[in-house]
Amino acid sequence: MGCCRHQKMGKCREEGEGEFPMNPVKRLLCLGLLLVFASTSAGCWDRREINDLAIVLAVGVDRNPNHKILLSAQIFFPKVAGGGPQGNTGGTGSNAIGQTIMQSAEGVTIADAMTQLQSKLPRSLFWGQSEVMIIGEAAAAKGIRSYIDFFLRYVQFREHAYTYISKDRAVDLIKLQPPLERSSAEVLREMGNLKLGAQITLKELAQKIDGASQAALLTRIHITPFATAADAAHNNIQVTGIGVFKKDKFVGSLEERANLGILAITNELETKIFSFPIDTSGGHVSVNLVHAKTKMVPHIDEKGVWSMDLFVEMDGDLVLNTTNQFNSDPKFVQQVKKAWTESIRGDIEAALKRVQKQLKTDAFGFAEPFYRHYPKAWSRVKDRWNDEVFPALQVNLHIRTQLNRIGKSTVPQGIPESSIRKK
């Protein structure tokens, strides 16, 4: 009895006499929480095995003559890829041909077509691996806003998928099994990475058609024969120009010189070797593009005249000289730079004529700089920009070219020394 209260409490703890029984209500509550945690932490209750999925690699959208939408899916074929008798994906390092199958379905809307497509397959469609979207010209001419809305809204689809417009029907490109790659989806993904055309994703396409210009560009593709293809199914895909969209509708295409010009204006030109004549003797030179940059500077003068200054800079390496002049001759270098400048000027002027005067669609994105620099003036003309203001816009070109390297040899090859023009 002589010990203090704290000593008694310590003794009680040691002997276990100070334990208080848990309230029955609290005990039941803790038991219920444990059951909830146990059920929600189980990792297999909503599992989706890969054996139950149809993995989509590419999507194609067409419009049939009956005005219904045809949705095509390129689906990964695991039986072939598994190294069976049809596949060759083992340790040999050889290319596997035929690792995909194609299925398509039509519907009154893109969502209805997807529902019909799922009804044809025993596996659940999985769109999260789809890196390519192809839109046929017939479907694009009617408007692509509903397709963009669906694919950006649908939770599985990748918003960074490369988007193309096809001269041929999209379903025909989806069917292809090119010998050089495992699928046509992989071919188009690699082409997008190489920036052979306008590298546009689904998200960027939506932003451009809803932007100030209300216009967009897509790389235009078509089917081309492979020299060694066994049949049409093993043909290849080729970039054939640029498709121009006014708002959400395909209005026309650009090819050859106009194609290069619009890529130069929009800072999309990266992979290109320019070839052009250098003198009256018929000799040509070729310059490999190393760097290209275009800056847009808008102007509205005191008289209310709208104009755009384009400052184009290009650097390159000399890779071919079929003339009889020394590569290191300063006069020759100046001739090359002048000829290259005129070649680029011709490309850009061809693009301006086609896009500004004929298509009357601001695919260059000129509206954005005017919107940023002259917001009040822009607000007064935005409703008639593409139809009236943009076609009459004065464009001033300022082009600078530079040769970084002239090659390992300073003299033309394959020409007798006596025929080489001296400095």
Side-chain angles (χ1 to χ4, degrees), residues 18 60 82 124 136 139 151 157 170 179 194 206 236-237 244 247 258 293 296 300 311 322 340 354 366 409:
S124 176
F151 286 120
F157 203 83
L194 287 173
N236 197 27
I237 301 173
V244 179
K247 295 185 178 179
K293 182 180 179 181
M296 301 180 184
I300 302 178
F311 294 89
T322 65
W340 189 18
R354 175 64 173 153
F366 286 174
S409 175

Side-chain angles (χ1 to χ4, degrees), residues 244-261:
V244 179
F245 284 76
K246 188 174 185 178
K247 295 185 178 179
D248 70 324
K249 295 182 179 180
F250 172 67
V251 294
S253 60
L254 288 79
E255 299 179 0
E256 298 179 356
R257 300 199 71 178
N259 176 32
L260 294 176

Side-chain angles (χ1 to χ4, degrees), residues 60-107:
V61 180
D62 291 299
R63 183 175 286 269
N64 285 338
N66 60 3
H67 303 294
K68 287 189 176 182
I69 295 170
L70 182 68
L71 178 66
S72 306
Q74 186 179 91
I75 301 170
F76 179 66
F77 191 16
K79 289 185 179 180
V80 174
Q86 300 180 53
N88 53 358
T89 58
T92 61
S94 57
N95 180 43
I97 299 176
Q99 291 193 3
T100 60
I101 57 176
M102 191 279 296
Q103 186 60 272
S104 59
E106 64 175 13

Side-chain angles (χ1 to χ4, degrees), residues 54-344:
I55 301 174
V56 180
L57 302 180
V59 181
V61 180
D62 291 299
R63 183 175 286 269
N64 285 338
N66 60 3
H67 303 294
K68 287 189 176 182
I69 295 170
L70 182 68
L71 178 66
S72 306
Q74 186 179 91
I75 301 170
F76 179 66
F77 191 16
K79 289 185 179 180
V80 174
Q86 300 180 53
N88 53 358
T89 58
T92 61
S94 57
N95 180 43
I97 299 176
Q99 291 193 3
T100 60
I101 57 176
M102 191 279 296
Q103 186 60 272
S104 59
E106 64 175 13
V108 293
T109 65
I110 187 72
D112 180 42
M114 179 180 285
T115 301
Q116 300 301 322
L117 180 62
Q118 181 62 79
S119 69
K120 295 183 176 183
L121 298 168
R123 297 187 178 189
S124 176
L125 286 165
F126 179 72
W127 305 85
Q129 292 295 321
S130 180
E131 296 183 316
V132 173
M133 180 178 177
I134 308 170
I135 305 174
E137 287 187 357
K142 297 294 183 180
I144 61 174
R145 190 176 298 276
S146 62
Y147 315 141
I148 295 175
D149 178 81
F150 176 75
F151 286 120
L152 286 180
R153 196 180 301 274
Y154 194 70
V155 65
Q156 285 188 5
F157 203 83
R158 287 188 176 186
E159 61 183 20
H160 296 294
Y162 289 138
T163 309
Y164 297 87
I165 183 169
S166 173
K167 183 179 179 180
D168 304 296
R169 281 166 55 87
V171 62
D172 295 330
L173 277 90
I174 295 292
K175 290 179 182 177
L176 291 181
Q177 296 175 355
L180 196 58
E181 300 292 350
R182 298 182 179 182
S183 65
S184 56
E186 190 166 343
V187 170
L188 292 173
R189 179 177 61 83
E190 294 296 336
M191 284 183 170
N193 292 337
L194 287 173
K195 298 184 178 181
L196 298 180
Q199 188 187 38
I200 302 296
T201 65
L202 183 63
K203 180 180 179 181
E204 291 169 341
L205 177 60
Q207 292 172 338
K208 288 180 180 295
I209 64 175
D210 286 332
S213 296
Q214 294 189 327
L217 303 175
L218 284 184
T219 301
R220 191 167 179 247
I221 55 176
H222 75 110
I223 300 172
T224 183
F226 239 130
T228 57
D231 50 53
H234 293 151
N235 283 336
N236 197 27
I237 301 173
Q238 180 179 347
V239 173
T240 187
I242 296 293
V244 179
F245 284 76
K246 188 174 185 178
K247 295 185 178 179
D248 70 324
K249 295 182 179 180
F250 172 67
V251 294
S253 60
L254 288 79
E255 299 179 0
E256 298 179 356
R257 300 199 71 178
N259 176 32
L260 294 176
I262 197 170
L263 292 178
I265 293 174
T266 57
N267 283 306
E268 293 281 350
L269 186 61
E270 290 195 16
T271 306
K272 175 63 180 176
I273 295 179
F274 291 85
S275 297
F276 41 86
I278 192 63
D279 55 23
T280 57
S281 64
H284 281 69
V285 297
S286 296
V287 177
N288 181 37
L289 180 66
V290 175
H291 172 75
K293 182 180 179 181
T294 300
K295 182 180 179 181
M296 301 180 184
V297 179
H299 292 286
I300 302 178
D301 63 19
E302 63 277 2
K303 297 180 180 179
V305 177
W306 292 48
S307 62
M308 176 68 74
D309 284 325
L310 294 179
F311 294 89
V312 182
E313 297 181 0
M314 291 195 180
D315 297 345
D317 297 338
L318 184 67
V319 294
L320 177 67
N321 177 13
T322 65
T323 70
N324 60 352
Q325 300 185 60
F326 279 97
N327 297 357
S328 57
D329 186 352
K331 293 182 179 179
F332 171 75
V333 172
Q334 290 300 321
Q335 285 181 331
V336 173
K337 291 168 61 177
K338 181 179 179 181
W340 189 18
T341 298
E342 293 306 312
S343 176
I344 296 169

